[in-house]
Amino acid sequence: MTALNPPAVAGWLDGALGRGVDVFDLGRPLYRGMPQSPNHPPYWHTLPRRHGDAVRADGGSAAADHISLGTHVGTHVDAFSHVSHDGRLFGGVDAAEAQRGGTMSAHGAETIAPMFRRGVLLDVPAALGLPACEPGYEITPDDLDLTARRQGVEVREGDVVLLRSGWGARFGRGGPAEYVGHDSGVPGIGEAGARWLAERRVHAAGADTIAFECLPPGKGHSLLPAHRVLLVEHGTYIIETLDLEGIAAAAVHEFLFVLSPLKLVGATGSPVRPLAVTPKAAP
């Protein structure tokens, strides 16, 4: 696994060990009724065992949970088995053959290595002088170039690039439909923006929206060209439903990105709780 280069890691650790770190939690809370794509089974949580159902001789009792959800609900990473094009997965793998038996025999979530890499936040609306991108707005390569230039950051091979559209502020307000944005449309990159990322050979890309890429008003998930470009053509992971408001408010644009998927054998994705880590600023 490639990551930050050794001198950069050593320098980062020296600073972190001496001063401590700031950690930005980029994952969304999971709860019943949360916003999610209608294409996936919803999150559900219940207590099949409750306090008092069984009480030990010393008075002790325990509660235990049952949860169920689709692997593309909440903050999650897409495995390469998630999307096919003309019947093929990344690397030319036959999709029909790979899914035979009801589980993915190639590119399952268990094959996604933990990520410990340089992370870059591209805060697009901030660069455009806006609080958030408009519904259904397609973030262009020119927008990405402008954002990187105004932030003074360079996107490098192997990076994890997180795209803030400002849509994440809608996650907990107005009901799930506002964040899902089927009628309004949702901002994000299109095919051209995906190729901009692919040309820079990033390891993964993520966004603060339900489907990562631009959803035109009323179109929903009918076409997802950025998924094809990144997952199928270039082997670039996609991370969706990120919480980028806190890190954007702190104007942190470069950081150590940490993500560890669950080893869900044969799954097409995994829930995750990504972290952005920076050394504490000197007092």
Side-chain angles (χ1 to χ4, degrees):
M1 179 183 70
T2 59
L4 302 170
N5 63 67
V9 172
W12 186 90
L13 287 174
D14 285 343
L17 292 173
R19 300 195 303 270
V21 296
D22 288 320
V23 179
F24 295 89
D25 188 342
L26 309 181
R28 292 289 183 184
L30 295 166
Y31 58 90
R32 287 186 291 184
M34 64 184 290
Q36 65 157 85
S37 165
N39 296 335
H40 302 289
Y43 175 81
W44 188 258
H45 169 261
T46 189
L47 292 173
R49 178 170 177 172
R50 298 173 179 267
H51 293 292
D53 288 348
V55 180
R56 298 183 180 91
D58 63 358
S61 183
D65 313 70
H66 173 87
I67 61 171
S68 63
L69 73 163
T71 57
H72 300 270
V73 172
T75 309
H76 63 276
V77 60
D78 291 346
F80 298 153
S81 56
H82 179 45
V83 171
S84 65
H85 188 70
D86 291 336
R88 299 287 170 175
L89 305 173
F90 174 64
V93 174
D94 185 287
E97 184 61 32
Q99 69 188 4
R100 193 180 302 278
T103 188
M104 303 303 301
S105 61
H107 299 317
E110 80 282 6
T111 67
I112 307 173
M115 299 181 197
F116 187 86
R117 292 176 174 268
R118 177 177 181 258
V120 173
L121 172 70
L122 293 181
D123 190 347
V124 176
L128 297 177
L130 302 169
C133 295
E134 291 295 319
Y137 178 76
E138 182 174 339
I139 296 170
T140 67
D142 285 346
D143 293 335
L144 299 175
D145 284 329
L146 174 68
T147 303
R149 186 167 65 250
R150 289 192 172 173
Q151 292 180 180
V153 299
E154 177 188 5
V155 175
R156 305 171 190 160
E157 180 176 350
D159 285 351
V160 176
V161 178
L162 309 181
L163 306 176
R164 177 180 177 265
S165 69
W167 198 257
R170 299 174 182 244
F171 185 85
R173 82 180 197 212
E178 181 173 350
Y179 182 72
V180 173
H182 179 274
D183 295 335
S184 65
V186 179
I189 62 168
E191 181 169 350
R195 295 202 181 281
W196 187 94
L197 293 166
E199 287 167 3
R200 285 153 181 79
R201 302 176 64 85
V202 303
H203 180 72
D208 55 357
T209 58
I210 199 102
F212 176 70
E213 58 186 282
C214 176
L215 301 180
K219 299 295 185 181
H221 296 65
S222 57
L223 289 174
L224 297 175
H227 278 67
R228 168 177 50 80
V229 170
L230 295 177
L231 292 176
V232 181
E233 297 179 7
H234 292 277
T236 301
Y237 296 108
I238 293 175
I239 308 162
E240 294 168 327
T241 319
L242 287 159
D243 182 356
L244 301 179
E245 294 305 290
I247 193 171
V252 172
H253 301 135
E254 296 179 84
F255 43 87
L256 172 65
F257 180 82
V258 182
L259 178 150
S260 187
L262 299 175
K263 290 185 175 181
L264 300 174
V265 176
T268 64
S270 170
V272 291
R273 187 179 182 179
L275 305 174
V277 185
T278 61
K280 280 190 179 296

